[in-house]
Amino acid sequence: MDWLPLLSTLAGAAIGIVATLIADRNRRKREDAKEALRLRLDIYTQYATAVKVLGETLRSLAEREHPSDDERALALREAFRESDIAIASERMWLIAPQPVVKASNSVFHCLRRICDGYIDGTAVSSPEDHARWEARGKAAAKMRKFMREDLEVGPLTERHST
């Protein structure tokens, strides 16, 4: 009996099976990488949106007339607590790479200082308020830069307003 055709067929089948398994594994890795990228994009979008909305809410509340300083403080604290920033921040800590987490945490603390400043009576558009907003703007720009690098979309060519 001639074993060569049988061995050739078995070798061909083994090579075909291994090649299929490797191709499937590579396809699965690509799909997993795409899904991880989509997840980070969702998290980054949620966080950046929460930062923007919370900032606008804090400024609006600070400009508004309140019956007392205590009610103003309560409104500001409640706005911070009810914003989606805490949830978005926790998602960031779980999923994002360290540079993004560090930068997003810096933005969070800038917003916290803005809120605390308004609670302590800092006037909107005062030099102190302007300095806090400038720091938040720089921190947010750095955060977006790291997010864009992580998402591999490249840098922005123009600066957006802070």
Side-chain angles (χ1 to χ4, degrees), residues 11-37:
I15 290 170
I17 290 170
V18 169
T20 301
L21 291 173
I22 290 171
D24 284 347
R25 188 187 77 200
N26 289 340
R27 183 177 35 78
R28 210 169 32 252
K29 278 184 174 181
R30 281 191 307 274
E31 288 172 2
D32 289 348
K34 284 180 185 177
E35 182 58 31
L37 190 67

Side-chain angles (χ1 to χ4, degrees), residues 8 29 49 59-60 70 102 128-129 133 157:
S8 295
K29 278 184 174 181
T49 302
R59 185 174 293 213
S60 173
D70 287 341
K102 238 177 128 176
E128 189 177 359
D129 183 49
W133 280 100
T157 57

Side-chain angles (χ1 to χ4, degrees), residues 36-47 150-151:
L37 190 67
R38 276 191 293 273
L39 177 61
R40 289 194 315 278
L41 175 60
D42 288 347
I43 290 168
Y44 296 170
T45 302
Q46 181 190 18
Y47 194 82
D150 182 46
L151 296 172

Side-chain angles (χ1 to χ4, degrees), residues 52 136-138 141 144 148 156-162:
K52 182 116 176 131
R136 191 221 51 98
K138 288 178 181 176
R144 284 190 301 271
R148 292 179 67 82
L156 288 173
T157 57
E158 63 183 58
R159 185 172 186 262
H160 293 272
S161 64
T162 55

